[in-house]
Every structure is written in C-alpha cells, then in structure tokens.
Amino acid sequence: MAAEDFTPGLNFIRTIIEADIKAGKNGGRVHTRFPPEPNGYLHIGHAKSICLNFGLAAEYRGLCNLRFDDTNPGKEDVEYVDSIMADVGWLGFDWQDRLYYASDYFEQLYEFALHLIRSGKAYVCALTAGQIREFRGTLTEPGQNSPCRERSTAESLDLFQRMRAGEFPDGSYVLRAKIDMASPNLNMRDPVLYRIRRESHHRTGDRWCIYPMYDYTHPISDALEGITHSLCTLEFEDHRPFYDWALDQLPVPCHPQQIEFARLNLSYTVMSKRKLLELVDKAYVRGWDDPRLPTLTGLRRRGYTPEAIRNFAEIVGVAKRESMVDMALLEHCLREDLNKRAKRVMAVLRPLKVVISNYPENQVEELDAENNPEDPGMGTRKLPFSREIYIEQDDFREDPPKKFFRLSPGKEIRLKHAYYIRCVDVIKDTQSGEIKELHCTYDPESRGGWTQDGRKVLGTSHWVSAAQALDVEVRLYDKLLSVANPAGEKEEKDFMEYLNPASLEIVKNCKVEPSLVAAAPGDRFQFLRQGYFCVDLDSTSEMPVFNRAVTLRDSWAKIEKSQQVK
RNA sequence: UGGGGUGUGGCCAAGCGGUAAGGCAUCGGCCUUUGGAGCCGAGAUUCGUAGGUUCGAAUCCUACCGCCCCAGCCA
C-alpha cells in the first residue's frame, strides 16, 4: 500500500473533532499544539504526537502551535529546544510564526495566580514538602486540610508577592489551589501551583525565583493560544478535572478540551527519557543520534525518511488502549517508501574474489544497469565489468544445501546486469583450507544477463568489478534490545540486561560499485538484495561509511532457518 | 481494598443493535535479470468471562476477572 493512497480511517479523536465542527463549537475552528518539555531529545513516540497534532490541524484546515513547556528550569536546556525544532521541521511540519514558550506567559500566569488568591481559590502554604505529602492522605484515605488553608486573602496575596520578590528561601512556601482535600482524585487535593526555586531559566534567566507547575501552566497556555483540542497522553486523564477547574476559575479567552490518547510503545527498543538518557550517559550508544536509538535524530542518521515515519504514525492509529507496536511495522514503512525512491546499487559486504578465466585480461567493458525497476524514470548507469570481480561470500557454497539457488561448484548463476558464470574451480589456502577465490567461466552470449536459448539459471548475484571497486565501511544495525518487551519477561530485570550485544556490527573493506564516489551524507541507496543503506555523518572521501537502515525481506534466510529447525 | 482508564486473531486497529474492515507479521501459490518488489489466497463460528434484554448484541444492561495510571514543590 502506497502512502498516498492510504485513506485515514476515523479514530476517536477525529470523531470528536468532527462532532465539534458539526456542532459549531469553537466556530468550527481546529487549533492544536505540540507541547514538548525541552529536557530531552524527541523520539518516535513524540513523532506520533507531532503527526497527530499537526496532521489533524492540516486535515481540518486549522493550525498547530509549537510550544515549549519550560516551567522546570533545572531540567531544561536550549540544546533541547534547538534539537526539538530541528526534528519537528525535519518531520515536515511548519509552525510558521507560532513558536511559543510557556515561559513567555510567566507574567500572565502570575496575574492569574493573584486572581485565584483574591477569589479565595488559592492560598500560600508553609508546609514542607514532606508535610504536604503526609497531609495529602492516601489512595484510600482522604487528606487533611493544611493549617494555612484558612489564611486570609490579604495575607496570601502579600506572601505570594514576596515569594516572587525573593524574600523567602527555596521550598519555604508554595502557592496551592484550594479545592478539596477529600477528593478521591489526588490531583484535586489542593495541588501546588507555584514553588520557589532559585534556578536560572534558559530563557528568563534570573528574572524569576518562583515557577509555575505544569498542571497550572498548561490549561492557561492552551487557553491563551486559543487551542481548541488539547491532546495529551493517558496519564493526564486524572489531571483533566484540574485542567477544567483552573479554566473555570479564571477569566481566560476560551476553554480548550483536553483529550487523552495512548502513547506509542515499540517492541525491541526503549522510549522513556530516563532510559534513553542512561544509554547515552553511560556511552552504551554513541550519542542521541546513534542509529540504534528510536530518537528522531537517530532514525534520521540511520536512514529513515520523514515520509516513512509520518506514514507509520498514521498507520498505527490512535486509541486509548495501551499497546506495543511491532518494530516490523516501522521497518515495513521505511521499505515501502525507499522501494519507490532509492537508487539500486551493488555492494559486496564480505568479498569473495572471482576470476573469470575465459574473460580477456585487461579488458573492461561498460554495462548498463537500471537505477530502479520500480521507476524507469530514474534512468540507468554504467557498470564496469572485468576479469576479476567480487561476489558475496554468502553467495557461494561448496556444499550447497537444498534450495540453494546460488553459486556452487559446477553450477551456473547470473551476475546481475552482466553475464552468466559457471564455477569451475575452488581455490583454497593450502594451510587453512579457507576458500581464497573462485575460478569461473562466463558465457559471452549472456551479456546483459540473459541468453537467446532462454535457459534458466539458479539465481542472480550482485557483484563488483575488483579494479574499479571502492573500499567502504558498512555499519550493520540490528535491534537495540534482544527481547521485544523487557517488562513482559518472566523475571523482571533492568532493561540494560536486555541490550542486544549484536546491535552494531562494523564491516570494513566492503566493495562497492564506483558510481558511489559521489555519495554524500544522508544519501540513501538500496544495496541490491541486501537492504537500504544511508551514507553516515562520519563518512569521508577517504573512507565512505554506510549505515544499514533496514534489510530487505530475505526469504532465503527463512528457508535456511526452517531447514535448521528440521 | 479510593479514583480514573482499558479489554476485538501473534501485533496494531475499525466497528457505536443487523449478523467481525484494514495494516503488520505468519503460512500457501503465482510471478520475477534483486530468493527484492508485485500479485492471488488462507486463517477470529467469534469480540476478557458469565448471565440478561432483543427476532437479532462485539455493540444495550448486570456481575465478575485481567491489565494500565494516580499519593513530585516532574512533565
């Protein structure tokens, strides 16, 4: 199924939006926002949210804002805001002039807090963090009112203003909403709205020593921006009553609707910021852009396209049940995209030299090769062919198993775009017995890869002419984890125990066809019969480096595997 | 054991009272100058379980069971 003819189905969010439009709610407007906290790199899970928010807005001729939820200066940094903007842009979305920061609303947020205090809906509390926890009660028992709860409006007002003025030490006071300490929803038990923290903020510097909490900031930010549908993940479902409460108390321009959906989980990888950070910090991977990570910068380096990721985001759907999507689906989306667009090229990862004994020495001829059978418009290229070539070691078996269609003694195969060759001799190292090279003969009548007599050959191999080949390094990536879902394992171990030791294999001295000299970082190719590869950032003209983004489906591997099982 | 969610084939996911879409994966077959791609076909007598309502239920009602989230001055 091609991306463009995929018809998006209805999901529960689209259903809500369409009902709202039909009812004339918000004047039929759709305005969403993607609100990351700049405290880490974006990953494929965020991509789902980005595609949802920007996608829905585009679909309903609405708008989507990019807003940084930067209310916790201790954890946030410009490094992250820069990477987030780069990633959202790379994915193909445009927030135009609607780049916002919650920190831009600090002054208004403060004014609204004053409003809350004046209307008796908030008070300054002197309880310590530990006391607040104790007074909060438990899941089954109601909490107790803070002794500060009945503090006068004037006193709270004075205290709060002095909190802002920096008269009190960190942690000494807090501003709390006055709701209901007996609520079965703990989020309604007088939640903290503001805390004192002398930390420098990446945007506001030292202008503030009090910072608003997420629960308080988010609904107001949404309302100030005229958001109609505020999409977030399931764990915020319990916070919705407070979201609505806050907006009901304040003179805000509108009351957005919070809608929760299940976050994306992907098999064989990790998605939490904490785990990703641990992998990076402990140097189990090379950085946030390590191609093994599900970060957008990692996927990009690996060779993923924005189109593949967007299609994936659409295809996984959106619902309220927690789920774990198979990594195979993401890989499928990449293959589907690159199959249509990637130029085919020949590369031999583990070379085995083949001497074609009846081919004239010193002769080099140019053969035509199509660049993409899926798209003739991509044209053809010239491929040098000569007496000495390399084929893949895996494409030869001295003692071939059943159904092995490749080269073996006495057998004939086709060299893609070139000639039929037949193996006549196997040259081994006299000491080790290791196969050094193959002697073959070719059929001059088979130029281009077919013969007049129409005889069948076993299989078709890729190859590279030895003299013209380029030496390159290839990095073969595999799953980050060795199990699909660590949490589903019998005994629960730390996810680090499940890291796949073979997630990266570096293969040096690979031989690729000369047309690849001009390949630049980020360029993607299909290495015939092997997979899709992307030129890595580390690549130089002296040593080109290719990352394997995803393998091609390999039916021989399946056959071989099933043979081993028997 | 308080509250909020959620249970449809191996994995996602439509369905919203009229007799189980679609995708991935899997397994067959066709085709093939990539064992790629493509094409065709197969698989839930059944929708967590048990009852009930109805001519008719995955869809409505009741009970039970499973799983997830909440006791940060994180988001």
Side-chain angles (χ1 to χ4, degrees):
Chain A
M1 174 182 57
E4 55 266 30
D5 30 81
F6 178 78
T7 309
L10 214 53
N11 58 46
F12 82 101
I13 298 180
R14 282 201 257 248
T15 303
I16 291 171
I17 291 177
E18 290 186 7
D20 287 348
I21 291 173
K22 198 172 177 184
K25 192 175 171 186
N26 306 306
R29 263 184 332 115
V30 173
H31 201 331
T32 57
R33 100 270 91 115
F34 173 60
E37 181 188 14
N39 69 343
Y41 280 69
L42 260 27
H43 53 64
I44 184 78
H46 294 108
K48 173 179 177 179
S49 176
I50 294 166
C51 293
L52 239 191
N53 279 294
F54 279 93
L56 250 15
E59 209 174 308
Y60 294 101
R61 303 165 149 271
L63 299 169
C64 179
N65 300 350
L66 173 60
R67 178 171 76 229
F68 287 98
D69 224 321
D70 54 350
T71 56
N72 188 4
K75 290 184 177 173
E76 298 153 5
D77 195 275
V78 283
E79 174 195 356
Y80 300 122
V81 346
D82 291 343
S83 75
I84 288 168
M85 288 196 282
D87 287 343
V88 175
W90 175 75
L91 258 190
F93 297 107
D94 184 4
W95 54 88
Q96 298 168 307
D97 59 347
R98 297 179 313 284
L99 169 63
Y100 300 112
Y101 293 83
S103 55
D104 288 345
Y105 308 134
F106 281 175
E107 195 62 52
Q108 291 166 87
L109 258 3
Y110 176 79
E111 292 299 326
F112 280 128
L114 258 20
H115 184 280
L116 243 25
I117 297 171
R118 287 193 194 101
S119 52
K121 301 292 185 180
Y123 62 96
V124 169
C125 183
L127 253 30
T128 64
Q131 289 170 321
I132 287 181
R133 192 183 325 119
E134 283 170 30
F135 277 65
R136 185 152 34 222
T138 68
L139 294 178
T140 51
E141 296 161 334
Q144 295 168 246
N145 285 169
S146 162
C148 306
R149 204 170 199 262
E150 297 312 321
R151 193 193 292 284
S152 73
T153 295
E155 198 180 345
S156 277
L157 225 35
D158 174 63
L159 251 16
F160 186 55
Q161 284 161 342
R162 289 163 65 195
M163 279 167 65
R164 175 181 184 174
E167 291 186 28
F168 310 117
D170 287 10
S172 55
Y173 286 107
V174 103
L175 181 71
R176 289 228 252 170
K178 188 190 285 190
I179 310 180
D180 177 10
M181 289 307 290
S183 171
N185 180 346
L186 307 218
N187 297 113
M188 299 301 268
R189 317 241 264 226
D190 291 10
V192 171
L193 269 24
Y194 269 90
R195 71 282 214 192
I196 305 175
R197 264 198 202 178
R198 261 156 267 260
E199 270 177 311
S200 205
H201 186 281
H202 63 100
R203 299 198 84 237
T204 60
D206 297 317
R207 285 207 290 283
W208 294 85
C209 65
I210 56 171
Y211 291 97
M213 300 289 289
Y214 163 86
D215 275 341
Y216 174 69
T217 307
H218 212 84
I220 297 174
S221 302
D222 282 345
L224 291 176
E225 291 175 21
I227 299 303
T228 57
H229 302 270
S230 180
L231 312 183
C232 64
T233 43
L234 254 28
E235 67 271 27
F236 292 104
E237 207 146 18
D238 286 340
H239 298 237
R240 194 171 64 227
F242 180 78
Y243 183 100
D244 291 328
W245 180 91
L247 295 179
D248 286 344
Q249 311 309 315
L250 270 5
V252 287
C254 63
H255 190 135
Q257 178 182 8
Q258 175 176 301
I259 301 170
E260 310 84 10
F261 65 92
R263 57 163 17 107
L264 172 71
N265 292 298
L266 247 196
S267 61
Y268 296 102
T269 192
V270 297
M271 217 74 103
S272 84
K273 278 180 182 171
R274 195 214 99 215
K275 290 174 183 170
L276 290 169
L277 188 62
E278 188 176 350
L279 289 169
V280 173
D281 276 353
K282 294 185 176 169
Y284 285 93
V285 295
R286 297 176 178 188
W288 288 103
D289 68 346
D290 189 296
R292 288 168 290 187
L293 297 182
T295 52
L296 293 182
T297 183
L299 290 169
R300 182 191 319 152
R301 185 169 182 178
R302 169 103 169 224
Y304 269 81
T305 60
E307 291 82 357
I309 292 174
R310 280 191 251 124
N311 189 227
F312 172 75
E314 180 58 53
I315 267 176
V316 294
V318 45
K320 295 197 70 156
R321 82 175 86 149
E322 309 243 11
S323 61
M324 168 86 63
V325 173
D326 196 333
M327 179 65 91
L329 183 59
L330 214 211
E331 296 183 334
H332 161 80
C333 290
L334 213 217
R335 288 192 191 102
E336 180 183 64
D337 184 29
L338 258 21
N339 175 49
K340 293 173 303 192
R341 305 159 55 187
K343 181 178 175 182
R344 271 59 169 173
V345 110
M346 292 203 282
V348 175
L349 270 32
R350 295 178 173 88
L352 171 59
K353 181 176 275 188
V354 172
V355 177
I356 301 165
S357 49
N358 61 338
Y359 193 87
E361 281 189 66
N362 303 321
Q363 177 176 311
V364 178
E365 65 183 303
E366 301 261 279
L367 301 166
D368 289 309
E370 59 189 348
N371 287 327
N372 188 340
E374 300 291 318
D375 179 8
M378 286 177 72
T380 62
R381 66 186 186 286
K382 296 291 186 185
L383 238 34
F385 183 82
S386 63
R387 192 169 193 265
E388 293 192 357
I389 63 168
Y390 294 109
I391 65 167
E392 208 69 56
Q393 287 173 19
D394 282 350
D395 283 346
F396 175 79
R397 283 295 243 304
E398 194 171 14
D399 186 19
K402 280 197 189 78
K403 294 185 181 173
F404 186 79
F405 299 163
R406 308 177 185 183
L407 197 59
S408 57
K411 289 295 195 320
E412 186 176 56
I413 60 161
R414 168 170 43 234
L415 293 178
K416 179 77 176 175
H417 303 309
Y419 292 100
Y420 290 178
I421 59 169
R422 184 181 300 281
C423 177
V424 294
D425 206 2
V426 181
I427 312 299
K428 296 179 182 175
D429 183 283
T430 46
Q431 301 294 337
S432 65
E434 183 193 346
I435 298 171
K436 302 298 288 185
E437 61 180 51
L438 265 26
H439 284 5
C440 295
T441 55
Y442 84 116
D443 177 356
E445 299 302 308
S446 63
R447 190 174 201 273
W450 64 275
T451 54
Q452 209 86 59
D453 62 14
R455 72 179 187 270
K456 297 284 186 203
V457 287
L458 269 52
T460 302
S461 282
H462 57 277
W463 55 275
V464 157
S465 176
Q468 293 79 15
L470 264 38
D471 280 316
V472 307
E473 174 179 318
V474 171
R475 298 176 183 169
L476 303 177
Y477 294 100
D478 202 350
K479 302 173 166 74
L480 215 212
L481 302 183
S482 55
V483 297
N485 179 18
E489 293 300 302
K490 290 213 169 62
E491 44 177 321
E492 221 166 295
K493 291 191 272 188
D494 187 82
F495 83 100
M496 297 293 263
E497 307 269 335
Y498 295 109
L499 290 181
N500 175 11
S503 61
L504 169 60
E505 181 184 359
I506 297 178
V507 187
K508 294 179 188 286
N509 303 314
C510 302
K511 306 289 185 181
V512 303
E513 62 171 74
S515 74
L516 250 16
V517 259
D523 287 354
R524 306 177 186 92
F525 301 91
Q526 184 195 102
F527 284 4
L528 231 55
R529 303 207 298 140
Q530 309 198 83
Y532 294 98
F533 292 73
C534 178
V535 181
D536 189 72
L537 264 28
D538 290 343
S539 203
T540 64
S541 48
E542 293 73 47
M543 183 47 67
V545 177
F546 290 85
N547 294 319
R548 183 175 67 197
V550 64
T551 60
L552 245 31
R553 294 187 65 203
D554 186 351
S555 53
W556 164 241
K558 275 181 198 165
I559 293 169
E560 195 174 31
K561 201 175 172 184
S562 69
Q563 285 179 349
Q564 284 167 356
V565 171
K566 291 168 190 167

